[in-house]
Each structure stands twice: as C-alpha cells, then as structure tokens.
Amino acid sequence: MSKSKRYERIAFVASASTEAQKALEQLTEIYGNQPADEADVVVALGGDGLMLQTLHAHMRTGKPIYGMHRG
C-alpha cells in the first residue's frame, strides 16, 4: 500500500461567488494560500468554468489540480 502524498504548499483559486469566497477564506486560514507558481498543488473553488480555466492555466506545470464545487 502506498502512502498518500501530503502537500505543504497549496494554491487556492476561487470564483467570485459567495460560497467560493467563503470557502477560500476558511481554507486559507487553515492551510495558507501560496502563489500558484510556488505551490505543490492547485485547488479551484467554484464551478465548471473556473475548473476549466484553472486546468488550462496550470495543466503544463505538472502540478496536481483539484476542484471543489463551490459556485
């Protein structure tokens, strides 16, 4: 069984929706928020459109990109 990787530097991007902005505030307080170019992983908080924009912007970096539906 392999160990799961723990990401120390997380970049959060969020849509303008109230739900996404609230999640951004809460997650930043817990985990911090690094610039995407310095992060180990990118997390998109919003809807499908934001996820597609985030994938397009960061897909060639080799970093994992996760999405949380918050928009």
Side-chain angles (χ1 to χ4, degrees):
M1 184 189 277
S2 65
K3 280 189 170 182
S4 31
K5 182 170 178 154
R6 181 171 174 92
Y7 299 108
E8 298 296 326
R9 298 171 298 175
I10 304 171
F12 294 102
V13 293
S15 70
S17 76
T18 303
E19 187 178 355
Q21 291 298 309
K22 185 175 180 180
L24 175 64
E25 183 181 319
Q26 292 172 337
L27 291 167
T28 297
E29 187 175 312
I30 296 167
Y31 300 105
N33 191 6
Q34 301 298 316
D37 59 335
E38 297 174 17
D40 301 317
V41 62
V42 178
V43 178
L45 307 168
D48 293 342
L50 181 73
M51 185 62 180
L52 289 171
Q53 289 175 356
T54 304
L55 285 167
H56 182 73
H58 303 286
M59 67 185 175
R60 289 184 175 84
T61 65
K63 297 175 187 184
I65 301 168
Y66 295 95
M68 294 177 69
H69 188 263
R70 296 288 181 266

